[in-house]
Structure formats: structure tokens, C-alpha cells
Amino acid sequence: MPATGRFQLESSLTKNQQEVSRASASSANTSRGLQWLWQHLSHLRHPHCFECGPIHQSTLDVLLLRGAKLYLSDLITPAQQTSSVYWSVSGKKQVFLIDKFMEQIPAIPPESLSTICCWGLLDLLPREVLPPLVERFHSFLQPGGVLFSILREPSVPKGVETRWWFESLTLLGSSDASQKPFPYPALTNREMERLFPGGNVKTFLTRSGRREVLGVRLP
Amino acid sequence: MLSVEGCLSTKAICVAQRFAADFSMFWEKKTRPVAEPPPFRPIEVPPPPPEVETIMTETKPKLANPSVAGSAHTLLGRTVMVHGQLAANEDLLIEGQFDGTINLEDHCLTVGTEGHVKAEVRARQVVILGSVTGNVAAREKVEIRRTGHVVGDLIAGTVAIEEGAYFKGSIDIARENESGVANEVAAPSALSSSA
């Protein structure tokens, strides 16, 4: 537990956790987006977070041991599926079943979340799905809350199954073995600004061909 | 001691009573007592699939969770369906279906791979290899193994979820209050969000 009651960055790491982080640092990169995020939320004692990716124990440890309340549901794995579970055929056209997809979101009180980590989810879904999904996410965020996403650059054609997790609050672990091409064009920053109500979006470029995009809910 | 309130089939009663009475002795004969659960390692070799076959004919059942060996146990087998409230002062392994509330206080609940539980659960430790729908409060730890499927809210001292497990809900860690005394794990129905 943070001694001061604040959601601190690295100072609250236990010795054991620090060793784990150092040992795995070679497969993780410092994230400027996450640095900004936790600085932005540093006044919160018990932030409420929604993690949308496949479950990773390191993420649980990093967030829970620092006092966060965590909502979990893997939306990324269903978004990667091309099976008929989330698709129906209407004539010659395949239609994504957005309502069925939304059912995977757990019950979250409105305006309760400090942050939503949706990782690369927005790169995996059809364009028509994004407005209602981002709007739903926005409704979960408290004023000042942040939607954290990772978007690919157009120069990165493959990586659908890339996974991300927290190695520490600011170290982003990833597995990048996927050779599967992305099904949709890369989202632009302008599109993200249009998607996120209020358009308050911050973008951090990385060397891996990804952008860390943070949408901040206006007070 | 096992107490069950609610609807329980005759067969279920027979099974529960028989195993409440006999199974601890039976268990001690067939298994080596283990003082502490092995450390949970999320990405290592998966535990061998627990196979608790039909209880009445099984001569050597395999434990779903080795940590529950060595103490008194109750087993609800695959053919058992229970509706109601269950309270016990011993560890419980569920391979059948249970609908209602479970209160084990100082003991461990294991939901085996064949187990289907729709319940508000309160226990010292909970290990889930099967399906659980409902809120779970554990004073010490909740483990969801890779075959586990959980929809509900968890509150526990620690939570471990193996890769491949399905979980939809929220997780909250039982925190120390300002006086430094650990809060009691809230009753599942009292779980709520607070910013």
C-alpha cells in the first residue's frame, strides 16, 4: 500500500516487485503515455481501472497492489475472432454484432472510472463500431478520466495479435509475434479526435510504429 | 460440520451426508497432506486436469486442488444439484451444480472443472477451475485457473488469474483502513464501488 495514500509511481514498489520489473525490462519499454497517465491520476488514492485486454497476471499485480479497483473483461480476443460469434451475414455483407460484443463489457457505474486501458482494440474493429464503443467508454469515465489506447501507424501492416500488459506502472510489456495483417486502415489522429467526445486527445509517438493515444474526458 | 438449507435432491442429500462423514478419512488415506498451497505460477505448465469421477464408485479421486488435502472436506459430486444456503466448517469441493449462497468463513472452496456455481460465495480461499456466476469474497486469495469461467465481482486479499481463464467483472483488494487494521471482507452482497 502506498504509505502516503496516493497512487504513486515507482516509489511504492516492493523490493521483490522491483526485481521482477528489472528482470523483465528487456521485453518491456518505458511508455511516455503511461507516465503522463499516472501523473495525471496521481491525486487518486484508489483509481478505478477497466482493463480490456487478455488477462495478464502482471497487470493484476501492478494495479491491484497499488490500491486500484479493477474491472476486467477481455474485449480484444473477441475482436480478433472472425468466427460467426460476433458476425452475421446479411445478404452478401458481413455485419459485426455490436450489441453482442458490448455484452462482454462488465457492469460499470457511469462516470466512475479513472482510466480505461483498451490497448490496440480500436485497430481491430470495423469503423462503424467505433463511435458507439468509444461513446460507451466515455460514459464510464469520470471527469478527467482517461481512455488509453495504442494505435498502429499505417507503416505497421501486421500485428493483430499483439498483446500488451503492465510490467510496472510505466513499463509496457508486449508480445509482438503476430504476423496477421490488420483488417482495417490505420486510425488517424484526426479520426480519434472526432471519435472522442470533446476531442481532448493526446498522442505520444513511439519507436515501435505505434502511437499511444490518450483521450481525456473534460471536466 | 456441514449445514445446507434449501432444496436438495434425495440423492444429493445421500451424497453430501455420506461424504461429509466419510470423505475426510477417505481423503487422508489417499492423499499426502500438504501444509501450504504451492505458489501460483500463471504461465507455467498447467495443473493436471482434475478428474473427480462419479463419487460413489470412485476408489481414488484426484484432488482439484492439492492445497485442500489434509483437512476435513466435503465433496459435492458431479451428479449433485443443490439449491439453497450452504455453510460449512470444512473445505468444500464442488463438482456438481450449486445455486444459492455459500459461506465457508475460515475454509477453502474449490470449484472443480465440472462444477457450476451460481452463488454469493464467502470463504477464506477460493479456487475456481469450473464455472462461477456471482460475487466472491475471500479473506485470503481467489485463484482462477485456466479452465475457470467467472462472471462476478471479486474481493480478496490477493487474486491470481491464469492465462486462458475467462473473467468478467471487477476485482477489489481488501485494504487496510487508516488505523492499520485489515478490513473484514465484506459480505458479497455488500460489494460496491467507491471512488
Coordinates of all heavy atoms in Angstrom, one line a residue, chain B residues 54-94:
Chain B
T54 N -17.6 -40.1 -10.9 CA -18.7 -40.3 -10.0 C -18.3 -40.8 -8.7 O -17.6 -41.8 -8.6 CB -19.6 -41.4 -10.7 OG1 -19.9 -41.0 -12.0 CG2 -20.9 -41.6 -9.9
I55 N -18.7 -40.1 -7.7 CA -18.1 -40.3 -6.4 C -18.3 -41.7 -5.8 O -17.5 -42.3 -5.2 CB -18.7 -39.3 -5.4 CG1 -18.7 -37.9 -6.0 CG2 -18.0 -39.3 -4.1 CD1 -19.6 -37.0 -5.4
M56 N -19.6 -42.2 -6.0 CA -19.9 -43.4 -5.3 C -19.1 -44.6 -5.8 O -18.9 -45.6 -5.1 CB -21.4 -43.7 -5.6 CG -22.3 -42.6 -5.2 SD -22.2 -42.1 -3.5 CE -23.0 -43.5 -2.7
T57 N -18.5 -44.5 -7.0 CA -17.8 -45.6 -7.5 C -16.3 -45.4 -7.6 O -15.5 -46.2 -7.8 CB -18.3 -46.0 -8.9 OG1 -18.1 -44.8 -9.7 CG2 -19.7 -46.4 -8.9
E58 N -16.0 -44.1 -7.3 CA -14.5 -43.7 -7.4 C -13.8 -44.3 -6.2 O -14.1 -44.1 -5.1 CB -14.4 -42.2 -7.4 CG -13.0 -41.7 -7.6 CD -12.4 -42.0 -8.9 OE1 -13.2 -42.1 -9.9 OE2 -11.2 -42.2 -9.0
T59 N -12.7 -45.0 -6.5 CA -11.9 -45.5 -5.4 C -10.7 -44.6 -5.1 O -10.2 -44.6 -4.0 CB -11.3 -46.9 -5.8 OG1 -10.6 -46.7 -7.1 CG2 -12.4 -47.9 -6.0
K60 N -10.3 -43.8 -6.1 CA -9.2 -42.9 -5.8 C -9.3 -41.6 -6.5 O -8.8 -41.3 -7.6 CB -7.9 -43.6 -6.3 CG -6.6 -42.9 -5.8 CD -5.4 -43.7 -6.2 CE -4.1 -43.1 -5.6 NZ -2.9 -43.8 -6.0
P61 N -10.2 -40.7 -6.0 CA -10.4 -39.4 -6.7 C -9.2 -38.6 -6.6 O -8.4 -38.6 -5.7 CB -11.5 -38.8 -5.8 CG -11.4 -39.4 -4.5 CD -10.9 -40.8 -4.7
K62 N -9.0 -37.8 -7.7 CA -7.9 -36.9 -7.7 C -8.4 -35.5 -7.3 O -9.4 -35.0 -7.8 CB -7.4 -36.8 -9.2 CG -6.8 -38.1 -9.6 CD -6.4 -38.1 -11.1 CE -5.9 -39.5 -11.5 NZ -5.7 -39.6 -12.9
L63 N -7.6 -34.9 -6.5 CA -8.0 -33.6 -6.0 C -7.9 -32.5 -7.1 O -7.0 -32.5 -7.8 CB -7.0 -33.2 -4.8 CG -7.3 -33.8 -3.5 CD1 -6.2 -33.5 -2.6 CD2 -8.6 -33.4 -2.9
A64 N -8.9 -31.6 -7.1 CA -8.9 -30.5 -8.0 C -7.8 -29.5 -7.5 O -7.1 -28.9 -8.3 CB -10.2 -29.8 -8.0
N65 N -7.6 -29.4 -6.3 CA -6.6 -28.5 -5.7 C -5.8 -29.2 -4.6 O -6.4 -29.5 -3.6 CB -7.3 -27.3 -5.2 CG -6.3 -26.3 -4.5 OD1 -5.2 -26.4 -4.8 ND2 -6.9 -25.5 -3.6
P66 N -4.6 -29.4 -4.8 CA -3.8 -30.2 -3.8 C -3.8 -29.5 -2.5 O -3.6 -30.1 -1.4 CB -2.4 -30.2 -4.4 CG -2.5 -29.8 -5.8 CD -3.8 -29.0 -5.9
S67 N -4.0 -28.2 -2.5 CA -4.0 -27.4 -1.2 C -5.1 -27.8 -0.2 O -5.0 -27.5 0.9 CB -4.0 -25.9 -1.5 OG -5.3 -25.6 -1.9
V68 N -6.1 -28.4 -0.7 CA -7.2 -28.8 0.2 C -7.0 -30.1 0.8 O -7.8 -30.6 1.6 CB -8.6 -28.7 -0.6 CG1 -8.8 -27.4 -1.1 CG2 -8.6 -29.8 -1.7
A69 N -5.9 -30.8 0.4 CA -5.7 -32.1 1.0 C -5.3 -32.0 2.5 O -4.7 -31.0 2.9 CB -4.6 -32.8 0.3
G70 N -5.5 -33.0 3.3 CA -5.0 -33.0 4.6 C -6.0 -32.4 5.6 O -5.6 -32.3 6.8
S71 N -7.1 -32.0 5.3 CA -8.1 -31.5 6.2 C -9.5 -32.0 5.9 O -9.6 -32.7 4.9 CB -8.1 -29.9 6.2 OG -8.4 -29.5 5.0
A72 N -10.4 -31.7 6.8 CA -11.8 -32.2 6.6 C -12.3 -31.6 5.3 O -12.2 -30.4 5.0 CB -12.6 -31.9 7.7
H73 N -13.1 -32.4 4.5 CA -13.6 -32.0 3.3 C -15.0 -32.4 3.1 O -15.4 -33.4 3.6 CB -12.8 -32.6 2.1 CG -11.4 -32.0 2.0 ND1 -10.4 -32.6 2.7 CD2 -10.9 -31.0 1.3 CE1 -9.3 -31.9 2.4 NE2 -9.6 -31.0 1.6
T74 N -15.7 -31.6 2.3 CA -17.0 -32.1 1.8 C -16.9 -32.0 0.3 O -16.3 -31.1 -0.3 CB -18.1 -31.2 2.3 OG1 -18.2 -31.3 3.7 CG2 -19.5 -31.7 1.7
L75 N -17.5 -33.0 -0.4 CA -17.4 -33.0 -1.8 C -18.9 -33.1 -2.3 O -19.7 -34.0 -1.9 CB -16.7 -34.3 -2.3 CG -16.7 -34.6 -3.8 CD1 -16.1 -33.4 -4.6 CD2 -16.0 -35.9 -4.1
L76 N -19.2 -32.2 -3.2 CA -20.5 -32.3 -3.9 C -20.1 -32.8 -5.3 O -19.5 -32.1 -6.1 CB -21.2 -30.9 -4.0 CG -21.6 -30.3 -2.7 CD1 -22.4 -29.0 -3.0 CD2 -22.4 -31.2 -1.9
G77 N -20.5 -34.0 -5.6 CA -20.1 -34.7 -6.8 C -20.8 -34.2 -8.0 O -21.7 -33.4 -8.0
R78 N -20.4 -34.8 -9.1 CA -20.9 -34.3 -10.4 C -22.4 -34.5 -10.6 O -23.1 -33.8 -11.4 CB -20.2 -35.1 -11.6 CG -18.8 -34.7 -11.7 CD -18.3 -35.0 -13.1 NE -18.3 -36.5 -13.4 CZ -17.7 -37.0 -14.4 NH1 -17.0 -36.3 -15.2 NH2 -17.8 -38.3 -14.6
T79 N -23.0 -35.4 -9.9 CA -24.4 -35.7 -10.1 C -25.3 -34.9 -9.1 O -26.5 -35.0 -9.1 CB -24.8 -37.2 -10.0 OG1 -24.4 -37.6 -8.7 CG2 -24.0 -38.0 -11.0
V80 N -24.6 -34.1 -8.3 CA -25.3 -33.4 -7.2 C -25.8 -32.0 -7.7 O -25.0 -31.3 -8.3 CB -24.4 -33.2 -6.0 CG1 -25.2 -32.5 -4.8 CG2 -24.0 -34.6 -5.5
M81 N -27.1 -31.7 -7.4 CA -27.6 -30.4 -7.7 C -28.2 -29.9 -6.4 O -29.1 -30.5 -5.8 CB -28.7 -30.5 -8.8 CG -28.2 -31.0 -10.1 SD -29.5 -31.2 -11.3 CE -30.1 -29.6 -11.5
V82 N -27.7 -28.7 -6.0 CA -28.2 -28.1 -4.7 C -28.7 -26.7 -5.0 O -28.0 -25.9 -5.7 CB -27.0 -28.1 -3.7 CG1 -27.5 -27.5 -2.4 CG2 -26.4 -29.5 -3.5
H83 N -29.8 -26.4 -4.4 CA -30.3 -25.0 -4.3 C -30.5 -24.6 -2.9 O -31.1 -25.3 -2.1 CB -31.7 -24.9 -5.0 CG -31.7 -25.3 -6.5 ND1 -31.6 -24.3 -7.5 CD2 -31.7 -26.5 -7.1 CE1 -31.6 -24.9 -8.6 NE2 -31.6 -26.2 -8.5
G84 N -29.9 -23.5 -2.5 CA -30.1 -23.0 -1.1 C -28.9 -22.4 -0.5 O -28.1 -21.9 -1.2
Q85 N -28.9 -22.4 0.8 CA -27.8 -21.8 1.5 C -26.9 -22.9 2.1 O -27.4 -23.9 2.7 CB -28.3 -21.0 2.7 CG -29.1 -19.8 2.2 CD -29.7 -19.0 3.4 OE1 -29.5 -19.4 4.5 NE2 -30.3 -17.9 3.1
L86 N -25.6 -22.8 1.9 CA -24.7 -23.8 2.4 C -23.7 -23.1 3.3 O -23.0 -22.1 2.9 CB -24.0 -24.5 1.2 CG -23.1 -25.7 1.5 CD1 -23.1 -26.6 0.3 CD2 -21.7 -25.4 1.9
A87 N -23.5 -23.7 4.5 CA -22.5 -23.2 5.4 C -21.7 -24.4 5.9 O -22.3 -25.4 6.2 CB -23.1 -22.4 6.6
A88 N -20.4 -24.3 6.0 CA -19.7 -25.4 6.5 C -18.4 -24.9 7.2 O -17.9 -23.8 7.0 CB -19.2 -26.3 5.3
N89 N -17.9 -25.8 8.1 CA -16.7 -25.5 8.8 C -15.6 -26.4 8.4 O -14.8 -27.0 9.1 CB -16.9 -25.7 10.4 CG -17.7 -24.5 10.9 OD1 -17.5 -23.4 10.5 ND2 -18.5 -24.8 11.9
E90 N -15.6 -26.7 7.1 CA -14.6 -27.5 6.5 C -14.5 -27.1 5.0 O -15.3 -26.4 4.5 CB -14.9 -29.0 6.6 CG -16.3 -29.3 6.0 CD -16.8 -30.7 6.5 OE1 -17.5 -30.8 7.5 OE2 -16.5 -31.7 5.8
D91 N -13.4 -27.6 4.4 CA -13.2 -27.2 3.0 C -14.3 -27.9 2.1 O -14.8 -29.0 2.5 CB -11.8 -27.7 2.5 CG -10.7 -26.9 3.2 OD1 -11.0 -25.9 3.8 OD2 -9.6 -27.3 3.1
L92 N -14.5 -27.3 1.0 CA -15.6 -27.8 0.1 C -15.1 -27.9 -1.3 O -14.5 -27.0 -1.8 CB -16.8 -26.9 0.2 CG -18.0 -27.2 -0.7 CD1 -18.6 -28.6 -0.3 CD2 -19.1 -26.1 -0.6
L93 N -15.4 -29.0 -1.9 CA -15.0 -29.2 -3.3 C -16.4 -29.4 -4.1 O -17.1 -30.4 -3.8 CB -14.1 -30.4 -3.5 CG -13.8 -30.9 -5.0 CD1 -13.2 -29.8 -5.8 CD2 -12.9 -32.1 -5.0
I94 N -16.6 -28.6 -5.1 CA -17.9 -28.7 -5.8 C -17.6 -29.2 -7.2 O -16.9 -28.5 -8.0 CB -18.7 -27.4 -5.8 CG1 -19.1 -27.0 -4.4 CG2 -19.9 -27.5 -6.7 CD1 -19.8 -25.6 -4.4

